[in-house]
Amino acid sequence: MTAKTVTIESKDYVFNTLKEAQRYYNAIVKELYDAKLTLTSGQDFEDLKWIYSSYCNYTNHNLDKLGDSDIVGFKGISTVQQKGGQYIPTECGAVIFSDGTEEEFFTDKAIKEIASQQNPR
């Protein structure tokens, strides 16, 4: 099985593997969470915006929200995920929309979907 590359079109960069891309963007989300910062501009903001929008377009997720509101920021949040019957606290991203609403955003899941779309079998 060959490794799936991931192309982040917002910065015209190709990660050699899915895991490499996931680690890179997880580190950004973790830094936002640890520093309690909101990312509202710059290359990382553009990358996360592209990743979220691409994921939504590929999966038909939240398309009505994307049409009505602009993405104005990203931040790190703590949430609870169910894994193997247990509830595990985990850090993830949150998308902030221009209308003030927020939504959880798991970069791992989004990047995995993007890699699958970019590397069909």
Side-chain angles (χ1 to χ4, degrees):
M1 187 165 148
T2 60
K4 291 185 178 185
T5 61
V6 180
T7 302
I8 304 300
E9 292 179 13
S10 58
K11 74 166 155 191
D12 198 26
Y13 185 80
V14 178
F15 288 93
N16 292 322
T17 67
L18 170 65
K19 291 290 182 203
E20 184 181 325
Q22 288 174 326
R23 274 194 303 271
Y24 181 85
Y25 290 103
N26 277 341
I28 292 169
V29 170
K30 180 164 179 35
E31 185 177 337
L32 292 172
Y33 178 79
D34 290 345
K36 299 189 181 350
L37 293 174
T38 300
L39 187 62
T40 59
S41 63
Q43 188 62 56
D44 290 338
F45 170 77
E46 293 301 323
D47 292 353
L48 289 172
K49 187 174 174 181
W50 182 85
I51 290 166
Y52 180 78
S53 298
S54 297
Y55 171 76
C56 290
N57 285 322
Y58 289 146
T59 62
N60 293 323
H61 172 76
N62 220 11
L63 291 179
D64 57 332
K65 183 71 172 178
L66 279 178
D68 295 338
S69 300
D70 290 332
I71 296 171
V72 297
F74 291 92
K75 66 181 184 179
I77 62 170
S78 181
T79 189
V80 176
Q81 268 190 314
Q82 185 176 359
K83 289 186 179 178
Q86 294 186 324
Y87 292 92
I88 312 277
T90 187
E91 296 163 6
C92 71
V95 181
I96 305 167
F97 296 99
S98 59
D99 64 3
T101 59
E102 298 179 6
E103 179 180 310
E104 288 180 353
F105 172 43
F106 292 91
T107 53
D108 278 1
K109 183 177 178 181
I111 291 169
K112 184 175 182 182
E113 181 64 31
I114 291 166
S116 293
Q117 294 289 332
Q118 291 178 347
N119 300 280
R121 293 184 183 202

